[in-house]
């Protein structure tokens, strides 16, 4: 009876201090409302744990994915709390829970920065260690703020609403010694280093080429099958005479052989980009459009990828002849011919992904030979083409 009386007294005191039953209901509603938000924050922990405990197994792409979920998820949790629309029981509880989620978002971003320092081109393990230790401090602070949040709630709220446990900091994983080992592992693992590699996989020009000269010999495979059919015919003739006279028998055999031959020829040609030394011929036209397939062969996403195509006229230099003939020079009639350039920016291209793009048209003139150069990153492809005279 004494215990019951104490509990009733505490509840009564809480109700009085919170200005009535309506306030008690509102505070309990707040606690009920934040539970799923807290649970969502806790559900992000596996992403943090995976990056911390098995970075090599995740690989560069897996680390990026996990950190992306961690950073965006933490930010989403903050937004959900801000938009809850139910007042907290007191300012201290409101501040502690907001601080918990803010510290976790900061820890996720700081951890991302520390890992980038460790596996970047320079691979600076010392700077990475300092940054990761800062992330560890954010994690530890977030757990402390959450504990203080629970303590700040009135007793009648915590007794009526079960607040979940939520812990992000693990001393065995985030102690100074553990962080040093983690930073060293990241910076010393070559497979985790950032690798940028943009490639031009295929190029097509519109209108299509009429023909291409100077191509390498294609690969031809011929398969021959032979079927033989044999037919044998036998004929027997028997002659019988009167007793005492000769009996004769004649046998003949005829064989017929038929042979059938079937040939299958397969020609395989792979031509994604015309090879050096080849010339592509086009119908008379005043513009050419370049289509290309661009691939990210690196292990990190590429952003603001710039793809350029330049169409430059070929000027034929004077040619001297030992036979004494007069040297010749190619002269282009009409207005001066100049290079034409087109470009496009690809906002983002994930690691291992490719994209098909069309560049704006390039101006050209009939009867002129050009060199088309397509460039993305450090990869450059050149194609010689001839626009027919019209």
């Amino acid at each position: 009876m004494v215990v019951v009386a104490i509990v009733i007294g505490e509840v009564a005191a809480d109700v009085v201090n919170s200005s009535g039953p309506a306030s008690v209901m509102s505070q309990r509603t707040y606690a009920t409302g934040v539970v799923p938000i807290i649970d969502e924050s806790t559900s992000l922990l596996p992403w943090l744990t995976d990056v911390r405990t098995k970075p090599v197994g995740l690989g560069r792409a897996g680390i990026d994915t996990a950190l992306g979920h961690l950073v965006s998820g933490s930010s989403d949790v903050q937004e959900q709390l801000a938009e809850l629309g139910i007042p907290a029981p007191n300012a201290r509880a409101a501040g502690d829970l907001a601080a918990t989620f803010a510290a976790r978002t900061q820890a996720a971003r700081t951890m991302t920065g520390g890992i980038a320092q460790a596996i970047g081109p320079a691979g600076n393990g010392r700077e990475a260690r300092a940054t990761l230790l800062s992330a560890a401090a954010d994690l530890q602070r977030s757990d402390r703020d959450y504990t203080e949040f629970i303590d700040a709630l009135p007793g009648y709220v915590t007794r009526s609403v079960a607040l979940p446990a939520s812990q992000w900091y693990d001393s065995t994983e985030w102690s100074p010694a553990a962080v040093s080992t983690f930073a060293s592992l990241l910076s010393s693992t070559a497979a985790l280093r950032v690798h940028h590699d943009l490639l031009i996989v295929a190029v097509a020009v519109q209108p299509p080429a009429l023909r291409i000269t100077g191509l390498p010999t294609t690969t031809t495979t011929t398969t021959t099958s032979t079927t033989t059919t044999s037919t044998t015919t036998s004929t027997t003739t028997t002659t019988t005479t009167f007793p005492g006279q000769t009996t004769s028998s004649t046998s003949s055999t005829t064989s017929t052989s038929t042979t059938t031959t079937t040939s299958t020829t397969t020609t395989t040609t792979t031509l994604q980009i015309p090879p050096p030394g080849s010339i592509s011929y086009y119908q008379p036209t005043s513009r050419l459009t370049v289509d290309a397939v661009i691939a990210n062969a690196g292990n990190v996403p590429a952003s603001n990828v710039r793809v350029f195509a330049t169409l430059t006229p070929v000027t034929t230099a004077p040619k001297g002849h030992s036979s004494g003939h007069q040297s010749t020079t190619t002269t282009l009639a009409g207005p001066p011919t100049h290079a034409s350039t087109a470009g496009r920016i690809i906002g983002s291209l994930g690691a291992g992904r490719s994209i098909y793009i069309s560049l704006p048209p390039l101006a050209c003139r009939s009867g002129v030979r050009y060199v088309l150069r397509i460039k993305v990153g450090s990869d450059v492809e050149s194609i010689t083409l001839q626009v027919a005279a019209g």
Side-chain angles (χ1 to χ4, degrees):
M1 295 297 294
V2 174
V3 174
V4 173
I6 292 175
V7 171
I8 293 175
E10 290 180 353
V11 172
D14 288 334
V15 171
V16 171
N17 293 334
S18 59
S19 303
S23 178
V24 172
M25 182 62 69
S26 174
Q27 292 169 15
R28 288 174 176 169
T29 302
Y30 167 84
T32 302
V34 298
V35 166
I37 302 176
I38 297 169
D39 285 340
E40 183 168 341
S41 176
T42 306
S43 71
L44 299 172
L45 181 59
W47 296 111
L48 173 69
T49 303
D50 284 350
V51 173
R52 174 59 191 86
T53 59
K54 49 184 180 184
V56 177
L58 287 177
R60 188 68 185 82
I63 290 175
D64 285 343
T65 298
L67 291 176
H69 282 292
L70 195 62
V71 173
S72 62
S74 298
S75 298
D76 287 344
V77 166
Q78 281 189 276
E79 293 179 7
Q80 289 181 42
L81 180 64
E83 297 172 356
L84 182 60
I86 305 173
N90 52 62
R92 178 188 166 191
D96 287 337
L97 188 57
T100 299
F101 295 152
R104 289 178 177 177
T105 300
Q106 183 61 42
R109 292 174 176 171
T110 304
M111 182 180 180
T112 300
I115 291 175
Q117 290 173 325
I119 64 179
N124 195 323
R126 179 175 298 180
E127 289 185 1
R129 177 183 182 276
T131 303
L132 291 170
L133 283 174
S134 178
D138 291 331
L139 293 174
Q140 192 172 20
R141 186 175 69 254
S142 75
D143 286 356
R144 184 173 59 249
D145 288 337
Y146 185 71
T147 299
E148 293 178 356
F149 160 70
I150 299 296
D151 293 340
L153 293 174
Y156 59 86
V157 172
T158 56
R159 284 191 296 272
S160 61
V161 180
L163 276 300
S166 185
Q167 180 179 345
W168 275 31
Y169 177 78
D170 186 336
S171 59
T172 62
E173 297 175 0
W174 294 102
S175 67
V179 169
S180 296
T181 302
F182 180 47
S184 297
L185 174 64
L186 292 173
S187 59
S188 63
T189 304
L192 296 179
R193 289 292 182 87
V194 172
H195 175 58
H196 298 281
D197 191 8
L198 294 170
L199 299 175
I200 302 167
V201 177
V203 174
V205 179
Q206 303 297 334
L210 300 175
R211 62 189 175 95
I212 302 176
T213 61
L215 296 179
T217 304
T218 58
T219 301
T220 301
T221 303
T222 302
T223 303
T224 302
S225 61
T226 303
T227 303
T228 301
T229 304
S230 298
T231 303
T232 302
T233 303
S234 298
T235 304
T236 303
T237 303
T238 304
T239 303
T240 304
T241 61
F242 293 103
Q245 294 185 358
T246 304
T247 299
S248 64
S249 176
T250 303
S251 176
S252 64
T253 301
T254 303
S255 298
T256 303
S257 178
T258 303
T259 301
T260 303
T261 302
T262 303
S263 298
T264 303
T265 302
T266 303
T267 302
T268 303
T269 303
T270 300
L271 184 60
Q272 293 177 313
I273 300 175
S278 66
I279 301 176
S280 302
Y281 290 84
Y282 293 85
Q283 66 189 40
T285 183
S286 61
R287 52 188 252 170
L288 294 170
T289 302
V290 176
D291 300 329
V293 177
I294 307 300
N296 182 0
N299 59 4
V300 292
S303 57
N304 296 323
V305 177
R306 298 174 183 270
V307 183
F308 292 101
T310 303
L311 193 62
T312 306
V314 177
T315 303
T316 304
K319 299 179 180 179
H321 298 273
S322 58
S323 61
H325 291 285
Q326 185 177 2
S327 61
T328 60
T329 304
T330 299
T331 303
L332 301 177
T337 304
H338 57 277
S340 178
T341 301
R344 179 178 169 184
I345 297 178
I346 304 171
S348 179
L349 186 59
R353 300 295 184 89
S354 62
I355 186 173
Y356 178 92
I357 63 170
S358 292
L359 299 178
L362 295 163
C364 64
R365 291 175 50 207
S366 298
V368 179
R369 179 166 295 185
Y370 293 91
V371 173
L372 173 64
R373 291 184 177 87
I374 305 97
K375 183 178 187 299
V376 58
S378 60
D379 192 18
V380 180
E381 296 290 346
S382 297
I383 301 172
T384 301
L385 53 88
Q386 175 73 49
V387 180

